Amino acid sequence: MNDNAPPTSVGSGSTGRIHPGTSCAARVVRVVAAVLCALGLSAVAVSPARADPTAGGDLQVAQTLGDRDLTFMLRRVTGLPGPLHVDVLTHRGTAAGTLRLGAVPTGVSADRAEGSSAGTTTSRASVRLGGTPGSYGAALDIDRAGPWELVVDDGSRTARIPFVVPGQATSPPELAVFGGFVTAGVLILVTLFVAVRVRRGAWVLLPAGGVVAALAVAVTAALLSASLPPPPQPGGQVDATNDNVTDPYAVVRPVTNDYSRPPVSLELGSYPAKAGERGTLRLSVTDGATGLPADDLVVHDGALMHLLVIGPTGELWHLHPIRTAPATYEVRLRLPAAGHYAVSAEFARLGGGVQQVRSATGLTVADGPARGGSSHSGSARGGAPALPAELTPQGPGTRTIEGVPVRLSAPSPTAGEASTLTARIGDTPTLQPWLGMVGHMIVVGPLDKADATSPTRMGQAAQGAPVWAHAHSMGVDMSGHSAHDMRAAPAHDADAMRHGDAGGMEHGDADAMGHGDADAMEDGHETGKGDGHGAGTGSMSGLMPLNGDSPADETVAAYGPDASFVYTFSRPGYYRVWIQAERDSAVLTVPYLLRVSPAGGAR
C-alpha cells in the first residue's frame, strides 16, 4: 500500500483520500474489464462449431411407385414439435393422381409414454400430382425425435421410407461456452460488489480470478469446438433409437464403419408375367451370415435400392423398388421381350458400406401375346424383338435420343489405364441432377462381340459378365472449364468426388474399385478428338452442399451439357455402357458399345 498517495478532490472545495483497498479494487476491475473485452472479441471471431447433427441436409429418396418414377424430398425438421415438409418431384410422363402420406414413428424408447405411439400413424396429408413435371408438396407433423417411416399410398401399393429426426441437443462445447460466459457475467457483478463493500482490496482478487477462469474456459471451448469430431450420426453410424437420437452426445465412443460386415443375399420372387404383360417383381434381402432379414439399408445416392435390369435386347432399366415391409421390396415391370434378364441391386447397409449384389438366377420371361411391348420396344410371338434405332448400341459419335442430340467423344481405352469419356447432351447447360449426380454410367463386360451386339442374348451374356460397375459424373470442374478440357486430368480428380462407387462392384470386380467413372470406344469409330466444342458454361459449384445445406435437386436445370466420366477398364474386350442423365424432367438412357484394347497397345 502507498500511504503517500496525493490527495484527490471530492466535491466542491473539499479534499480527501481514496481508501487504499478501493484503489486496488478499481485497478482490478479495470483489468477484468479489459480482459473481458479482449476475450469477448476473440470469442466473437471464432467460427461456430458444426457438431450438431441437425445441421445435415434434406433427404432425397427416389421411388419407382407403380408406373411412376418419383423423387421424394424430405426437408429437415428444424424444431420439435414441427412440420416435416415433403416435396414430390415428378418427371415427364408421370400420371396425375393423388398420393396419401403418413408419418409413423418406429423407434423404441425407455420412456413408455413416448414409445406408446410407435407403429401408429400420427399425421396424414395428401399430395395431388399434376400432369406437368414439377414439385408437389405437403406437410406432416412431427412431435418427437427418433426413427420414423414416411408411408406413401397410391391406392394400390404402399411404400415405407425410413428416415430419422435427430434430437436438437446442445453440444458439450456449446454448453462450456455458454456456461463460461454466464459464470463470468455473474462473477463480474460479484467483483464490483466486493470492490465497493469490502475495505481490503485483496478480497477482490477472488471473484476477479473466477471471471478470468470462466472466460478462459468459454473461449477455449469455442476455439476447440471447430476441430472436435461430430457425434455419431443416428441412423447412419449408430442404431437410431429414440434415446440416442434425443441425445446424440450420449454416445461418446469412437465410431468406425465396419466394412467387414457380410454382404446380403438378394432373392427374387416368382415373376409369372409374360413378355409385354405387367407384373410385380418382389425382392428380399437377407444377411449373408445369419440368414435373417437385413432391414438396415440406408439411403445411398438418393435411393434405398438401385435395381439394374438388363434384357435380352440390351435394354437397361434403372429402377428404385419401394420398401413394403422390413427387408422386403417390390417394383412393377413390363418386360417387352421374351428371354433372360440379368438383375443386380446396389445399396448401402448401416455400418457395412456400399454393396452391389447380382442375382444368381436373374429372370426368364416367357413369350407373350404379339400385342406386348413397351414404349421403346416390342416383342412379336415367335420372332426377334424389334429394337428402335435409338436403343441400338453404337460407338462414339453423334446420335439422337428422344429428340435430344447426344455426342460421345473419347480416346481409345486401354485395359489397366484410366480413360475419359465425355457425353455432350444437348447444346445448353440444362441438365438436372438425378440421384444427386449430373450423370450416371453403367458398365458391363467384357463380352464376346456377338453377344454384345445380339438382340436376343445380351441378358444372358450380362448374367455372367465379370465386371458390373456403376459410375458417376459430377459435372464440370469448379472453375467452369469444359469437360473436354479435363481429358488429361488424373483419375483421382474424379475419385475425390465420387460417392462410394467402390461398392458398385459385384464380388470379383475389385479391379474396378477405386475408380469413379469411365471412357472407351468401339473400334472403327471416331475418337472425337478435336471435335471443336468450346468450353462448357456449366459449373458444379452449386451441386456440392455447403455449410450443412442440401445439394441441388432436380428442380435445378443448370448443368452440362457435358457429362464427363473417368474409369479404368481392367480387362480388354467389348463392353456395353449406358449413360444416363436428366434433361427437361426426363431421364435419358444412351447405350454404347465400346472396345477396350489390351495393355501394350495390341489390337
Side-chain angles (χ1 to χ4, degrees):
M1 298 287 179
N2 183 6
D3 295 331
N4 298 320
T8 303
S9 174
V10 179
S12 175
S14 65
T15 62
R17 295 178 181 270
I18 295 181
H19 193 276
T22 304
S23 177
C24 180
R27 288 196 296 269
V28 171
V29 171
R30 287 195 294 268
V31 171
V32 170
V35 172
L36 177 62
C37 293
L39 294 182
L41 290 175
S42 64
V44 171
V46 174
S47 298
R50 300 196 179 275
D52 190 350
T54 60
D58 305 330
L59 182 65
Q60 173 178 305
V61 186
Q63 296 278 265
T64 303
L65 184 61
D67 296 328
R68 298 184 176 102
D69 288 318
L70 305 172
T71 300
F72 291 84
M73 298 294 299
L74 281 64
R75 307 298 180 181
R76 53 187 170 183
V77 178
T78 57
L80 291 174
L84 168 69
H85 294 282
V86 180
D87 293 332
V88 183
L89 308 182
T90 63
H91 303 95
R92 190 194 309 167
T94 299
T98 300
L99 300 180
R100 288 172 289 278
L101 309 181
V104 178
T106 59
V108 179
S109 176
D111 186 345
R112 293 185 178 181
E114 186 177 354
S116 60
S117 61
T120 61
T121 303
T122 60
S123 179
R124 290 181 172 87
S126 296
V127 177
R128 173 67 182 175
L129 304 181
T132 303
S135 177
Y136 303 86
L140 298 167
D141 294 328
I142 302 295
D143 58 5
R144 75 186 205 194
W148 289 73
E149 284 184 350
L150 174 66
V151 179
V152 183
D153 182 6
D154 69 347
S156 59
R157 288 171 176 78
T158 301
R160 311 183 76 90
I161 303 173
F163 66 98
V164 176
V165 178
Q168 299 170 350
T170 303
S171 68
E174 289 176 324
L175 290 175
V177 172
F178 298 150
F181 279 114
V182 170
T183 303
V186 172
L187 290 177
I188 286 176
L189 297 178
V190 175
T191 302
L192 294 175
F193 177 80
V194 172
V196 172
R197 303 293 295 180
V198 178
R199 292 182 176 274
R200 297 189 60 178
W203 291 101
V204 180
L205 296 177
L206 293 177
V211 171
V212 175
L215 290 175
V217 170
V219 174
T220 301
L223 290 171
L224 295 180
S225 61
S227 61
L228 294 177
Q233 293 293 309
Q237 295 173 305
V238 294
D239 289 337
T241 65
N242 279 357
D243 299 316
N244 62 22
V245 172
T246 303
D247 184 11
Y249 298 98
V251 182
V252 296
R253 67 182 185 276
V255 177
T256 57
N257 285 337
D258 180 13
Y259 289 98
S260 64
R261 173 174 286 192
V264 302
S265 298
L266 177 68
E267 299 179 9
L268 306 184
S270 60
Y271 186 77
K274 298 181 179 180
E277 298 177 347
R278 294 196 180 277
T280 298
L281 175 63
R282 292 179 173 85
L283 311 98
S284 59
V285 288
T286 57
D287 186 87
T290 64
L292 298 175
D295 193 36
D296 55 0
L297 304 191
V298 295
V299 174
H300 160 66
D301 288 342
L304 286 168
M305 178 183 291
H306 300 265
L307 188 72
L308 301 177
V309 180
I310 300 176
T313 63
E315 190 171 357
L316 171 77
W317 289 263
H318 181 171
L319 307 169
H320 304 97
I322 61 174
R323 175 178 173 270
T324 57
T328 303
Y329 296 80
E330 70 175 43
V331 64
R332 191 176 182 186
L333 293 170
R334 185 169 69 179
L335 302 176
H340 188 80
Y341 290 77
V343 179
S344 75
E346 180 182 318
F347 41 76
R349 296 188 68 182
L350 174 64
V354 181
Q355 302 176 15
Q356 180 168 354
V357 181
R358 200 183 314 176
S359 169
T361 59
L363 295 174
T364 299
V365 177
D367 202 357
R371 61 180 178 82
S374 70
S375 58
H376 296 301
S377 58
S379 176
R381 175 180 291 273
L387 192 65
E390 65 178 17
L391 295 181
T392 302
Q394 300 177 6
T398 302
R399 61 189 306 182
T400 300
I401 301 294
E402 297 186 19
V404 179
V406 180
R407 178 180 178 84
L408 176 69
S409 60
S412 299
T414 301
E417 299 180 3
S419 304
T420 302
L421 180 148
T422 301
R424 168 157 288 204
I425 303 169
D427 299 317
T428 57
T430 54
L431 297 183
Q432 300 161 265
W434 184 51
L435 305 175
M437 262 65 70
V438 171
H440 298 255
M441 184 176 68
I442 312 300
V443 179
V444 173
L447 305 167
D448 180 81
K449 185 177 182 180
D451 291 335
T453 57
S454 171
T456 59
R457 299 195 306 271
M458 181 57 207
Q460 190 64 55
Q463 181 73 47
V467 174
W468 281 54
H470 179 184
H472 295 145
S473 170
M474 298 300 292
V476 299
D477 64 2
M478 296 293 288
S479 63
H481 295 300
S482 169
H484 290 274
D485 301 329
M486 300 169 62
R487 292 179 183 168
H492 63 74
D493 290 344
D495 294 343
M497 296 183 292
R498 66 185 177 87
H499 285 230
D501 294 342
M505 323 303 143
E506 200 270 325
H507 300 303
D509 300 342
D511 44 31
M513 190 169 295
H515 300 282
D517 305 325
D519 161 357
M521 62 176 286
E522 207 264 300
D523 55 348
H525 292 276
E526 60 180 315
T527 63
K529 295 179 180 178
D531 53 16
H533 289 302
T537 57
S539 172
M540 64 171 285
S541 59
L543 188 62
M544 306 301 291
L546 300 173
N547 299 327
D549 295 332
S550 298
D553 57 39
E554 298 175 44
T555 61
V556 180
Y559 302 98
D562 294 333
S564 184
F565 304 84
V566 177
Y567 184 75
T568 299
F569 293 90
S570 60
R571 309 180 186 188
Y574 288 88
Y575 287 80
R576 289 295 300 268
V577 174
W578 295 264
I579 291 179
Q580 295 186 300
E582 183 174 354
R583 187 174 186 270
D584 294 334
S585 296
V587 177
L588 305 178
T589 301
V590 191
Y592 293 103
L593 175 64
L594 306 172
R595 183 183 187 276
V596 177
S597 301
R603 302 293 293 181

